[in-house]
Amino acid sequence: MSRETSKPIRIAIDGPAGAGKSTIAKHLSKKLGVVYIDTGAMYRTVALFTIRKGIDPQDRKSVVKALDEIEVSISYSPEDQTQQIFLNGENVSGLIRTEEVSACASVTSAYAEVRSKMTQLQQKLAESMSVVMDGRDIGTVVLPKAEVKIFLTADRNARAKRRFLELKEKGVEADLEEIERDMKERDERDAGRECAPLKQAEDAVLLDTSNLSIEEVVEEIEKIMKDKGY
Ligand code: DC
């Protein structure tokens, strides 16, 4: 049964990179028949635009100015509900998954003006439908009244190993130590920024996925939902 025929629900999943947010969110959205919104993809799309324009991500003024030229929109593939993301009408879903975009997004997503634009878009999307939304500030800022809030974490080594295997599967050469170092830097930037830092909401349930399978995490979240009457 689709969730839209029963009580609407907003599930917020936050946590650091590599904690398994998108994998878990995708599984959950399929199981529940609700839309999955990947907010990291939106920040990546802004980063892609600035890279293409040759803007230095540290140049806040130019990044903010560029926002007027950026329109981010999303659509869903009807077969499997996967999110497609568009930059001024161009489908950039495959282009935002590079290391260059990751590094740039980590800097530009710290700017309050960038966050404000993305937050408005995210809130609008969750206004009228049930969603599983993942990011860094969903439970704290974007959907503070979400019915279910999960903070997913895992120790840094486990997260780095996951990313390493992901890249290996794609045939991309990677160095585990370098991945772990980059992750540390990004974790610190996400958690240390002034605007909407990565933080567990007071009413979020903490799940450490270091030693759990995907199925086990999804089951845990379903238990949490059941306890809340969903
Ligand atoms: O989850 P991800 O790696 O796709 O996120 C890309 C970048 O965007 C990352 O640096 C964290 C940032 N981000 C954010 O600041 N707030 C969100 N809600 C989602 C992502």
Side-chain angles (χ1 to χ4, degrees), residues 14-224:
D14 290 303
K21 297 185 300 296
S22 63
T23 309
I24 300 302
K26 274 182 207 156
H27 273 75
L28 208 57
S29 84
K30 254 195 202 149
K31 242 181 151 172
L32 302 173
V34 309
V35 155
Y36 161 51
I37 298 174
D38 170 3
T39 65
M42 299 176 185
Y43 289 98
R44 286 172 178 272
T45 299
V46 171
L48 178 67
F49 183 88
T50 62
I51 291 168
R52 283 176 167 180
K53 283 268 169 178
I55 297 169
D56 174 359
Q58 304 288 349
D59 178 359
R60 178 175 184 151
K61 235 177 155 180
S62 299
V63 172
V64 171
K65 199 158 163 253
L67 283 175
D68 289 339
E69 297 174 57
I70 301 175
E71 198 201 75
V72 177
S73 55
I74 59 172
S75 77
Y76 291 93
S77 126
E79 301 93 56
D80 57 2
Q81 293 287 85
T82 53
Q83 176 181 288
Q84 299 294 311
I85 193 148
F86 298 83
L87 168 60
N88 296 332
E90 173 192 356
N91 189 337
V92 293
S93 312
L95 300 173
I96 56 169
R97 301 288 161 197
T98 65
E99 274 310 294
E100 189 188 14
V101 171
S102 297
C104 180
S106 167
V107 177
T108 54
S109 65
Y111 302 145
E113 297 86 344
V114 173
R115 302 207 68 80
S116 162
K117 183 163 170 147
M118 296 303 109
T119 300
Q120 280 175 38
L121 172 61
Q122 292 152 15
Q123 288 173 335
K124 210 162 172 24
L125 287 166
E127 238 169 39
S128 54
M129 58 183 175
S130 291
V131 294
V132 179
M133 193 181 278
D134 80 350
R136 305 293 190 286
D137 60 339
I138 311 305
T140 50
V141 176
V142 180
L143 303 175
K145 294 195 176 137
E147 285 75 17
V148 178
K149 295 184 188 177
I150 308 291
F151 194 84
L152 278 192
T153 182
D155 62 60
R156 192 174 291 128
N157 187 257
R159 293 191 280 124
K161 273 192 188 142
R162 284 179 193 161
R163 195 47 44 106
F164 176 76
L165 290 175
E166 239 173 61
L167 290 169
K168 212 171 143 191
E169 251 173 49
K170 284 190 203 158
V172 180
E173 282 240 356
D175 177 70
L176 183 60
E177 272 180 30
E178 197 181 319
I179 293 177
E180 200 167 338
R181 242 190 344 265
D182 282 356
M183 242 174 200
K184 182 168 184 284
E185 221 178 84
R186 277 177 216 162
D187 284 352
E188 284 168 359
R189 214 166 10 227
D190 283 350
R193 69 178 172 226
E194 233 170 79
C195 184
L198 168 67
K199 186 169 85 186
Q200 183 182 344
E202 267 175 29
D203 50 351
V205 179
L206 177 70
L207 278 182
D208 187 327
T209 68
S210 309
N211 299 306
L212 295 178
S213 68
I214 295 167
E215 290 72 25
E216 285 169 328
V217 180
V218 172
E219 266 169 35
E220 275 300 316
I221 297 177
E222 284 182 313
K223 257 190 235 155
I224 292 163

